[in-house]
Amino acid sequence: AQSVTQLGSHVSVSEGALVLLRCNYSSSVPPYLFWYVQYPNQGLQLLLKYTSAATLVKGINGFEAEFKKSETSFHLTKPSAHMSDAAEYFCAVSDEAGGFKTIFGAGTRLFVKA
Amino acid sequence: DTEVTQTPKHLVMGMTNKKSLKCEQHMGHRAMYWYKQKAKKPPELMFVYSYEKLSINESVPSRFSPECPNSSLLNLHLHALQPEDSALYLCASGRGRDQPQHFGDGTRLSIL
């Protein structure tokens, strides 16, 4: 069955340090992949998406992700963490069966220390 | 700015009450969604409407009743809910599987 696995339910970094949030997917067809961020008491907001164009995708707020088919990964990175990056991050893949369903990972909570 | 608008932001209701959650989008998206989200969990899909017709129902209890009056509006009617139904209810809209979903800020529902 199709799935998304986010390694690490919690990640803690110091302000100014590299942010790396890991996501692995399973799909029998070329996937459409997304990273969303959720701040407290808000809905999910799109950070970036991969839809089979460039493998290195740039998103908002300085985030980027690289699609690696051989590793079935789509890890999210940011060179320098800011306090405002503290939030919940979800990796997601569109359902390969078609239609409009999206499969979400379990989420990773990012903590940023001053 | 949130392009998907949900009302109310907060709702407290008893187990015998009837209430409705409302969602509106004006982006011309053909699909609209209801999700339930518990604390520290990902959104859990409840219903999907495409072209105003119910296309996915994830075996949601009948005490939740969705309605799509037109392409811009989505309602979720609530009746005889249980305490375990307390959660954040998110509405979203989208164009298709190669495009992201746009989420509202949700309704925080508490069942007494």
Side-chain angles (χ1 to χ4, degrees), chain B residues 23-56:
Chain B
C23 175
E24 187 170 4
Q25 60 91 11
H26 294 287
M27 295 175 283
H29 291 168
R30 56 186 178 170
M32 295 187 75
Y33 307 75
W34 280 116
Y35 289 91
K36 174 183 179 180
Q37 188 179 29
K38 301 286 266 186
K40 301 182 182 181
K41 296 291 186 181
E44 178 184 342
L45 183 64
M46 300 175 72
F47 304 102
V48 181
Y49 275 82
S50 63
Y51 296 104
E52 303 170 45
K53 293 185 178 179
L54 184 64
S55 62
I56 297 177

Side-chain angles (χ1 to χ4, degrees), chain A residues 36 38 94 100-102, chain B residues 33 37 58 97 99 101 104:
Chain A
Y36 292 90
Q38 186 176 28
S94 290
F100 297 94
K101 192 173 180 178
T102 297
Chain B
Y33 307 75
Q37 188 179 29
E58 294 284 20
R97 62 184 301 265
Q99 297 298 319
Q101 294 177 28

Side-chain angles (χ1 to χ4, degrees), chain B residues 5-17:
Chain B
T5 304
Q6 290 188 244
T7 56
K9 292 188 183 302
H10 302 275
L11 179 62
V12 179
M13 57 187 288
M15 289 189 284
T16 59
N17 293 157

